[in-house]
Amino acid sequence: MRGGEERSTGIRKKGSGVRQWLVLDGRGETEVVEAGKHAIMRRTGLPARDLRILDPLLSYPSTLLGRERAIVINLEHIKAIITAHEVLLLNSRDPSVTPFLQELQARILRHHHQTLADANPNPDDAIKILPFEFVALEACLEAACSVLENEAKTLEQEAHPALDKLTSKISTLNLERVRQIKSRLVAITGRVQKVRDELEHLLDDDDDMAEMYLSEKLAEQDDLEKAEDTSSADDVDDHIDSHGTRDSATYSAVTKQLDVEELEMLLEAYFVQIDGTLNKLSTLREYVDDTEDYINIMLDDKQNHLLQMGVMLTTATLVVSAFVVVAGIFGMNIHIELFDDQKAGMTQFLWTVGGSTAGTIFLYVVAIAWCKHKRLLE
């Protein structure tokens, strides 16, 4: 029984999906939290299908989702959940995430100091501060776009010398290097294209962008609760009936337009950057394709030369066969006057051999001229 209980406990622990999350709050302080899927769902208000996107054991493409209380980020090496007050980072132990984590923490600290300074603002120095979720979102987008851009630059620096070397000398080693570069190019292009598609999808849908205004939705909810607490019981019922079913992402037309434009400007900047990276990769892909076409043309030209050489050798073999026929005739055990010393001598023999050789050459020249006339040879 004890062994069965231990096995069942192990199964429950495995199924609970307890993982370490690095939590960065609005003051830039970090905390490592071990939490299961259900605990994260209660903390962020996300459904299980959205958490599945962040599962490191599953291979999901780049995704950027705005939900009721959180933003789900799965961009390259960044797997995070952004709320109105904190960022939950899943793979914080990954060495590639360390630079991003440091940059994110620095941005959150600057945002915290700006927020404190904005509490007692100087009218001359008043500036608009981005919401916490946009500060974290911008850090994620910048990190992902920078990683892809750096990989594209590195690949471009490796590709051009390899392609030029292949153009000058076609060898197995050079062909293998270009094949590996092309495989990497296809993989990076797919990743960049997916990030670009996600940003384009957000920019084309105002409702999806409005969902990402977590701080504003939270403040709106707080105002609604305060209004409910200060109103009478009948007024509360009327208020809930008229506003309780309203979607939290729906604002007044003016406020929504201004807010969406603010996020749209942020997303547009990184859309332009990732689109530039994609164009750079497309240009490199065209260069690879042009090099392949050039290599194929060179190989076809060499193959044509080999075929022409084969035609010339076959023709030479054919005309030499005529000379062999003459030699075969003289090799027969028959009586020929040319072998009779009384009637013929060395002079006649040399004339026979010379005539046969000249005839063979003449036939070869005629055959080659006919092939060129028919454009079978260059």
Side-chain angles (χ1 to χ4, degrees):
M1 289 296 294
R2 183 175 299 175
E5 291 177 356
E6 291 177 352
R7 286 194 297 271
S8 62
T9 302
I11 293 174
R12 285 197 298 269
K13 288 182 179 179
K14 183 178 180 180
S16 61
V18 177
R19 293 191 175 92
Q20 285 189 349
W21 295 79
L22 181 65
V23 181
L24 283 81
D25 59 17
R27 295 172 297 180
E29 297 180 356
T30 61
E31 178 187 5
V32 177
V33 177
E34 290 189 358
K37 181 181 295 185
H38 295 288
I40 298 297
M41 290 169 60
R42 290 191 299 268
R43 186 165 184 165
T44 61
L46 293 173
R49 64 177 178 272
D50 290 340
L51 291 181
R52 195 180 306 120
I53 296 174
L54 303 178
D55 194 335
L57 300 178
L58 302 177
S59 179
Y60 274 89
S62 295
T63 308
L64 189 60
L65 299 176
R67 291 295 184 253
E68 182 73 19
R69 293 165 46 194
I71 300 174
V72 182
I73 304 290
N74 179 24
L75 295 176
E76 291 301 310
H77 57 293
I78 303 172
K79 298 180 182 295
I81 300 174
I82 302 174
T83 67
H85 302 296
E86 60 185 11
V87 179
L88 289 81
L89 195 61
L90 181 59
N91 56 339
S92 59
R93 293 185 175 182
D94 190 342
S96 62
V97 181
T98 302
F100 160 72
L101 182 59
Q102 295 173 352
E103 177 64 22
L104 176 61
Q105 191 172 12
R107 292 191 180 210
I108 292 177
L109 283 172
R110 287 197 299 267
H111 177 266
H112 178 62
H113 294 325
Q114 291 174 357
T115 303
L116 293 178
D118 193 56
N120 297 310
N122 185 344
D124 297 331
D125 300 332
I127 58 174
K128 185 174 180 59
I129 301 177
L130 288 176
F132 173 83
E133 63 271 17
F134 290 172
V135 174
L137 175 61
E138 185 176 11
C140 295
L141 290 173
E142 182 175 346
C145 293
S146 298
V147 166
L148 291 173
E149 185 176 10
N150 291 334
E151 289 190 21
K153 288 182 179 179
T154 302
L155 181 62
E156 187 178 23
Q157 293 173 356
E158 296 177 6
H160 284 285
L163 293 172
D164 294 341
K165 187 175 292 186
L166 177 63
T167 303
S168 60
K169 181 181 180 182
I170 302 176
S171 64
T172 304
L173 179 60
N174 292 336
L175 286 172
E176 178 62 22
R177 289 183 60 189
V178 172
R179 186 193 66 81
Q180 294 177 359
I181 288 174
K182 187 175 181 180
S183 299
R184 290 168 55 192
L185 176 61
V186 172
I188 295 176
T189 302
R191 290 158 53 196
V192 173
Q193 182 69 53
K194 182 57 182 175
V195 175
R196 182 188 180 280
D197 292 343
E198 285 294 310
L199 292 177
E200 186 178 19
H201 173 74
L202 284 174
L203 290 170
D204 291 341
D205 196 326
D206 291 347
D207 293 337
D208 286 346
M209 286 191 288
E211 282 284 358
M212 294 186 173
Y213 283 81
L214 307 179
S215 298
E216 186 169 343
K217 289 191 290 185
L218 186 61
E220 195 173 299
Q221 183 179 358
D222 292 340
D223 293 341
L224 180 60
E225 291 177 354
K226 291 179 182 179
E228 291 174 351
D229 293 338
T230 56
S231 62
S232 63
D234 294 337
D235 292 339
V236 170
D237 293 338
D238 295 339
H239 194 277
I240 293 176
D241 290 339
S242 60
H243 296 282
T245 59
R246 181 183 61 179
D247 189 270
S248 62
T250 305
Y251 315 103
S252 63
V254 177
T255 304
K256 180 178 178 181
Q257 182 179 1
L258 292 175
D259 288 344
V260 170
E261 287 179 356
E262 181 183 23
L263 178 58
E264 186 176 7
M265 291 178 61
L266 188 151
L267 295 177
E268 184 72 27
Y270 293 99
F271 176 80
V272 171
Q273 180 180 353
I274 201 69
D275 189 62
T277 303
L278 184 61
N279 290 334
K280 185 182 299 183
L281 292 173
S282 299
T283 303
L284 181 59
R285 180 60 183 267
E286 292 177 359
Y287 186 59
V288 172
D289 292 340
D290 292 342
T291 302
E292 287 185 345
D293 293 339
Y294 177 71
I295 296 301
N296 289 332
I297 292 173
M298 290 179 62
L299 293 177
D300 290 342
D301 184 64
K302 289 185 177 181
Q303 186 176 9
N304 290 336
H305 281 86
L306 290 175
L307 291 175
Q308 292 180 15
M309 184 177 294
V311 171
M312 296 176 69
L313 291 176
T314 302
T315 305
T317 303
L318 178 63
V319 296
V320 168
S321 299
F323 186 81
V324 173
V325 171
V326 175
I329 293 175
F330 283 103
M332 293 181 181
N333 190 16
I334 57 177
H335 180 71
I336 299 177
E337 292 184 354
L338 186 61
F339 296 156
D340 191 350
D341 296 336
Q342 301 298 326
K343 296 183 178 180
M346 181 60 68
T347 303
Q348 288 76 8
F349 175 77
L350 293 177
W351 273 105
T352 302
V353 173
S356 300
T357 303
T360 300
I361 296 175
F362 176 75
L363 290 177
Y364 180 76
V365 172
V366 170
I368 295 299
W370 181 83
C371 289
K372 289 186 176 182
H373 177 72
K374 294 296 183 179
R375 295 185 179 180
L376 298 177
L377 295 175
E378 293 181 354

